């Protein structure tokens, strides 16, 4: 493998920023991260000049529905898993995401990518493709709707096959969590799936039926996951009791707690708390959830994920660094914290002995852009911008 030198940048480490820093990657591993010219004349096959930008660890995205949108960008408009996976990977590399937990929901849908068998087929296809030919690190986050008892056997098979890297428990039954009333859930179904009233009624009835078996499903799948070493998460927790319940079943990560007291309770209990980067960038939740910035400011959230919009990871990190916390702390929320939470020992920071997953970020009119992405010492993305000097703009050529 080639030796890669990234230099002339602001090197962001977990505890400090080194100006004029550099990173050397040899045989896919970081062998040096420090000040410019500390490599003592070692030669490099590839030299990438950061041009004063930031040198960061590649982002680790623990939750993103982007693959579902790539597979079905419009209701009923499907693309093959091969096309969706290939195109999404290119986008993710350009957004600085070097480890992606593709989120698939087994929610008992009758159609679309959230139908149980469809989701399982896509998961198996992605696992196979990622094993053979990939530019970034691809993992599977399987989201289980706890009322969907018919999916338990499918999930057990996927865990046994080693196709699941993170399992989360969701409960979208009206009356708690993200949908405090039946009307809230009904509006969600109408807006998202454009369903007629009779179908919405059937879904609500099935959820009530499944609620009676939800506890049994959680017990069974949590035992399977823990035996296989698969980390567990809960979703949309709305109380300390919810945190406690899932923690008893091995959950160590709470995703998108609904309110600040719940997020605080999770952190006090030693549970990691993940909030959505789009919430940071947009200034709030799309629903009735808390503002993510409030949880971060209070020290009640430690992980960022992209939720439904992968580009938001990069922008949330730099917004936080500009307004709330240090750049090292903001970067850690997208790198070292998720790596620690999900037991990823080889990625997440720019330290000797870690895998060479590195990105370069530069500001373009105050907006951060990824110009280079390296995964395991292999450059997988590079972007150059055409620059026109002010005095030349009046006489631009056709090129």
């Amino acid at each position: 493998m080639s030796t890669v030198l990234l230099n002339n940048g602001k090197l962001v480490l977990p505890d400090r920023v080194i100006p004029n820093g550099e990173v050397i990657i040899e045989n896919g591993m970081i062998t040096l991260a420090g000040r410019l010219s500390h490599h003592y004349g070692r030669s490099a096959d590839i030299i990438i000049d950061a041009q004063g930008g930031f040198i960061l660890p590649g982002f680790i995205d623990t939750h993103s529905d982007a693959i579902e949108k790539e597979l079905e960008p419009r209701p009923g408009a499907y693309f093959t898993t091969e096309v969706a996976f290939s195109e999404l990977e290119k986008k993710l590399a350009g957004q600085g995401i070097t480890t992606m937990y593709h989120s698939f929901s087994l929610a008992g849908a009758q159609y679309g990518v959230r139908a149980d068998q469809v989701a399982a087929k896509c998961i198996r296809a992605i696992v196979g493709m990622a094993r053979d030919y990939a530019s970034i690190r691809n993992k599977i986050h399987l989201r289980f709707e706890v009322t969907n008892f018919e999916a338990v056997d499918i999930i057990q098979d996927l865990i046994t096959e080693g196709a699941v890297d993170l399992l989360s428990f969701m409960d979208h039954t009206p009356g708690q969590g993200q949908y405090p009333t039946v009307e809230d859930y009904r509006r969600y179904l109408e807006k998202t799936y454009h369903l007629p009233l009779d179908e919405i009624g059937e879904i609500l009835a099935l959820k009530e039926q499944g609620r009676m078996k939800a506890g049994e499903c959680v017990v069974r799948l949590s035992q399977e996951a823990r035996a296989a070493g698969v980390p567990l998460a809960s979703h949309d927790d709305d109380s300390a009791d919810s945190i406690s319940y899932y923690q008893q079943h091995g959950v160590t990560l709470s995703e998108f707690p609904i309110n600040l007291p719940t997020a605080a309770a999770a952190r006090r209990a030693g549970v990691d708390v993940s909030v959505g980067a789009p919430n940071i960038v947009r200034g709030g939740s799309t629903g009735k959830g808390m503002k993510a910035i409030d949880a971060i400011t209070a020290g009640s959230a430690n992980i960022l994920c992209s939720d439904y919009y992968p580009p938001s990871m990069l922008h949330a990190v730099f917004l936080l660094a500009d307004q709330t916390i240090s750049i090292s702390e903001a970067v850690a929320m997208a790198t070292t914290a998720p790596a620690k939470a999900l037991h990823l020992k080889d990625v997440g920071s720019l330290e000797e002995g870690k895998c060479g997953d590195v990105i370069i970020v530069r500001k373009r009119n105050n907006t951060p852009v990824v110009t280079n992405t390296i995964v395991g010492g292999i450059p997988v993305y590079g972007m150059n911008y055409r620059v026109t000097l002010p005095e030349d703009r009046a006489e631009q050529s056709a090129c």
Side-chain angles (χ1 to χ4, degrees):
M1 296 180 68
S2 300
T3 297
V4 180
L5 168 64
L6 300 94
N7 62 9
N8 191 29
K10 294 181 278 288
L11 185 63
V12 179
L13 301 179
D15 58 345
R16 66 193 188 282
V17 176
I18 298 178
N20 295 322
E22 65 182 15
V23 174
I24 294 178
I25 305 170
E26 298 177 281
N27 297 318
M29 308 297 290
I30 295 174
T31 56
L32 184 142
R35 286 195 181 280
L36 188 66
S37 300
H38 279 194
H39 59 284
Y40 303 111
R42 296 187 206 174
S43 60
D45 303 300
I46 299 171
I47 299 175
I48 301 175
D49 186 349
Q51 300 182 41
F54 294 88
I55 303 176
L56 311 177
F59 296 146
I60 300 168
D61 193 349
T62 62
H63 180 129
S64 174
D65 304 339
I67 186 64
E68 292 183 338
K69 302 299 189 297
E70 206 76 31
L71 287 160
E72 189 184 5
R74 283 186 178 181
Y78 301 105
F79 288 82
T80 67
T81 310
E82 290 77 8
V83 168
F85 176 72
S86 175
E87 294 304 318
L88 180 58
E89 263 210 314
K90 290 187 286 186
K91 296 178 185 178
L92 297 174
Q95 292 152 4
I97 297 170
T98 55
T99 300
M100 170 56 88
Y101 282 76
H102 300 285
S103 300
F104 284 91
S105 294
L106 268 70
Q110 297 178 353
Y111 50 84
V113 295
R114 293 195 171 184
D116 297 342
Q117 293 293 350
V118 173
K121 182 179 178 181
C122 292
I123 287 170
R124 290 185 172 103
I126 286 176
V127 169
M129 288 185 289
R131 185 184 300 121
D132 296 336
Y133 194 78
S135 58
I136 68 170
R137 304 183 193 278
N138 296 277
K139 297 181 179 292
I140 298 297
H141 175 176
L142 197 156
R143 304 173 59 200
F144 169 59
E145 189 71 39
V146 296
T147 54
N148 183 22
F149 57 90
E150 294 180 343
V152 170
D153 288 341
I154 297 172
I155 296 171
Q156 284 187 310
D157 288 343
L158 290 167
I159 291 173
T160 300
E161 294 167 22
V164 179
D165 300 290
L166 173 63
L167 175 65
S168 62
F169 295 116
M170 307 183 295
D171 186 355
H172 290 121
T173 308
Q176 49 78 54
Q178 194 173 4
Y179 306 106
T181 70
V182 172
E183 188 56 34
D184 288 319
Y185 190 66
R186 189 186 300 276
R187 281 197 296 266
Y188 161 74
L189 291 176
E190 289 175 345
K191 180 178 69 174
T192 306
Y193 299 108
H194 311 292
L195 298 178
L197 289 177
D198 57 339
E199 285 193 36
I200 291 176
E202 291 176 13
I203 291 172
L204 290 172
L206 284 172
K207 281 195 167 292
E208 287 301 320
Q209 178 186 354
R211 174 180 272 179
M212 295 183 291
K213 300 182 180 181
E216 177 186 339
C217 294
V218 170
V219 170
R220 189 172 159 191
L221 287 177
S222 63
Q223 290 175 345
E224 289 282 340
R226 292 165 77 179
V230 175
L232 292 168
S234 56
H235 185 82
D236 288 346
D237 295 300
D238 62 359
S239 68
D241 287 342
S242 175
I243 297 294
S244 178
Y245 170 76
Y246 282 113
Q247 192 175 28
Q248 291 171 20
H249 294 291
V251 164
T252 57
L253 170 64
S254 174
E255 299 187 297
F256 318 121
I258 297 298
N259 52 59
L260 191 54
T262 302
R267 294 303 291 141
R268 285 196 303 270
V271 174
D272 292 297
V273 171
S274 175
V275 292
N279 189 311
I280 300 292
V281 177
R282 296 180 64 256
S285 169
T286 57
K288 296 184 177 181
M290 66 179 179
K291 284 189 175 183
I293 191 70
D294 293 342
I296 293 170
T297 303
S300 298
N302 63 319
I303 292 173
L304 280 176
C305 68
S306 74
D307 192 3
Y308 57 89
Y309 188 59
S312 63
M313 288 281 280
L314 174 68
H315 299 286
V317 164
F318 279 86
L319 276 172
L320 288 171
D322 287 342
Q323 301 174 5
T324 308
I325 55 180
S326 71
I327 183 68
S328 289
E329 291 170 317
V331 169
M333 292 189 70
T335 57
T336 54
K340 183 178 179 181
L342 299 185
H343 314 300
L344 304 177
K345 297 180 180 179
D346 296 327
V347 295
S349 61
L350 301 180
E351 299 177 83
E352 294 180 18
K354 298 275 183 147
C355 291
D357 294 5
V358 188
I359 64 174
I360 292 175
V361 177
R362 295 170 60 194
K363 291 288 188 77
R364 181 174 180 243
N365 295 331
N366 248 0
T367 300
V369 293
V370 175
T371 60
N372 298 86
T373 300
I374 296 90
V375 180
I378 298 174
V380 297
Y381 174 85
M383 168 65 77
N384 292 311
Y385 286 93
R386 296 184 297 111
V387 178
T388 304
L389 297 176
E391 58 269 23
D392 295 335
R393 286 175 185 159
E395 299 179 2
Q396 287 186 2
S397 70
C399 297

